[in-house]
Amino acid sequence: MARRLQSLDGLLSEVVFQLDAQGRVTWLGPGWEKLTGTLGVVSQGHPLTDVVHGLDRESARHLLESVATQQVADARQELRLFVGGESRWVVLTARGVPGQPGEVVGTLLDIDSRRRAEEAVATRERYLETMVEVQRRMMPHQDPRDLYTSVVEPLGRVSAASRVYVFEMHRAQNGALLASQRAEWCEPGIPPNLEDPNMHGLPLLEALWPEQAADLMRGEPVQGLPQDFTEVLTPMLEAQGVRSVLLLPLHVHGQLFGVIGFDNCREARPWGPIEVNLLSGAAGTLSLALEQRNDKALRVRTETTLRRTEAGVHLLLESFPDPVMVHVGDGVLLSVNPALVQYLGYRDASELLGRHVLELVREEDRSAAQLYLGQALEGKGAARAVEVPLVRRDGETVVADLVTLAVVFDGTPAWVTIARDFTERKRSQAQLMLADRMASMGLLAAGIAHELNNPLAYVLSNLDFLHATVGPRARPLTPDDLVECRQVLDDAREGAERMRQIVRQLRVFSRVDDTREEPVDVHRVLDSVAQMAASEVRPRARLVKSYGEVPPVRGNEGKLFQVFLNLVINAAHAIEEGQSETNEIRITTRPDDGARVLVEVRDTGGGIPPEHLRRIFDPFFTTKSAGIGTGLGLSICDTIVTALGGHISVESSVGVGTTFRVALHAAPPGISDAHRGL
């Protein structure tokens, strides 16, 4: 059974597992090591739920018990694993084993990148909606303490803090600068500190390290763990159960007026740059409101409220890291932030204000954008559109993911649209792929020259022979001479055809415009790879091809050429030169359930140490010496294969060798293989 599971696991992108009737692991596929960075044997004999994140453990236990007791045939759930001090999102799929009561088999599919991206987008949307809520809550309040109370609760919830509080600075009779707590919000179960005498008349700046106090005075945030603070504050924070803290300054008329504090009593984690940036924007909005309320000569109450709202929204837009535009219901732009001006290549925001949102979209995409805009105006929550082409001032196109939500701007209902850029990421990825291709071509340059030189030599030699035979003052040709000339011409033609194939392979490999997908003959790609890499392989090993009957695959010839050339060159470099008779590189193809094609590149080299195995697909990770490896090859292979809907995996034993497996989708039947090249 274990052998069958191992064979199956090698063909899947998921990690296969098996549990006994007590829920203990009896089998974990080799993919477990790539997924978690730990050996599967460590978890064998232990309940699978031991490696599930504490927040998801109970639901995972219920799911496994449901399939083990046959309450449901199979079950599926997204949850987090927690292994090696890190959490990772997976899809857990489980099913009971017929005839084996209590036993369970299943798979774990890595979805961490997707969930992290979704969480990043959701975090930005959540913060932006909270900033709007903070603005709304501040509008009816005039007393500073009412202002504090109105903002600490939404800021606490959005930041996942355990406790949020506001300190005001004031002077003692002797002139010393002190801080006293004025407002507080605590999540359930967290004891409040508002009535604690130690929280009033606290010499806050003196209790900080000089550099921390200087940061607050300059308007910069301060954060850290309890041990990162002075011997005055550290015991106080530890006594309150604080594991990490963030302090944001409140400045009024250029002076430090107070501090907003965020305590995390659950885990010692820092607040990320985006969180700090957005929370600092909220602190700036509160500072502006305090400044307006402390300067009664500036304006009357109604005017103050309106201007505060406008200034607060502008402050939020200015500090937001992504491009943002504010527009009314008919689509006219009311405000844009500097990030959007720069993103679209304009010199000043005034060039965009008053224009219609749809003018920023390509003409052929405006109907789809109009539909999205209508959905955003009708909906109560945020609306999202993925990969919308926007037109820059110079006419070039950039691609962005748009999120739109409702706000109140200058007392009027309006909408905020945030753009996340995809253009630069795609361009950088294409440049890295091209750089990897050029690096491979440079590595193979001498071998390519040799491959071209051999046929070129005998083509020229045969042409010289023909020139001498049929040239000026040549004797009349006999029938035997004609037969020999025909043979010489055939040899020259064969050499020219060989050179043509090499040039074709170079053109396919170096082609930049490689976004088209089509049916690809994977054997033809592998044959070209074998010919291109011959100079690297020949001194080290025999290259053996073991092809099965497989259909064309869905992909791109140039990209697949890059993938398999990388794998073959890596296999060759895993073997020392001078041992070609005792070593082998074997390329195998075979069908996989009819829906996919499996390609294996197996070598008898030194193998990959376990501590390196889980990192080999990371960008810029390489074990090769300087000047030989860039660390991009396998990362790019993984990117290409994943983008084509396939999967790449590796299995290695030190001293035995390494096997890379690439699973690709078969091309749909009935589609001809177009664009064969030269």
Side-chain angles (χ1 to χ4, degrees), residues 533-614:
S535 60
E536 293 293 317
V537 174
R538 195 178 295 116
R540 296 174 168 87
R542 302 183 312 276
L543 183 64
V544 180
K545 303 174 188 175
S546 179
Y547 294 167
E549 292 290 333
V550 297
V553 299
R554 190 184 77 209
N556 175 279
E557 189 173 13
K559 289 183 177 180
L560 291 179
F561 194 108
Q562 183 171 6
V563 169
F564 294 119
L565 182 63
N566 264 314
L567 296 182
V568 171
I569 290 176
N570 282 351
H573 288 174
I575 302 170
E576 295 290 338
E577 288 192 27
Q579 303 180 26
S580 60
E581 296 301 319
T582 57
N583 283 290
E584 174 183 283
I585 297 175
R586 179 175 293 269
I587 303 176
T588 304
T589 64
R590 64 175 184 270
D592 178 20
D593 296 334
R596 295 200 298 185
V597 173
L598 189 68
V599 182
E600 288 187 354
V601 179
R602 184 188 304 268
D603 67 67
T604 56
I608 304 171
E611 64 270 19
H612 293 160
L613 196 61
R614 68 187 181 92

Side-chain angles (χ1 to χ4, degrees), residues 93-106:
T93 305
R95 172 176 294 178
V97 179
Q100 301 292 330
E103 293 192 10
V104 174
V105 294

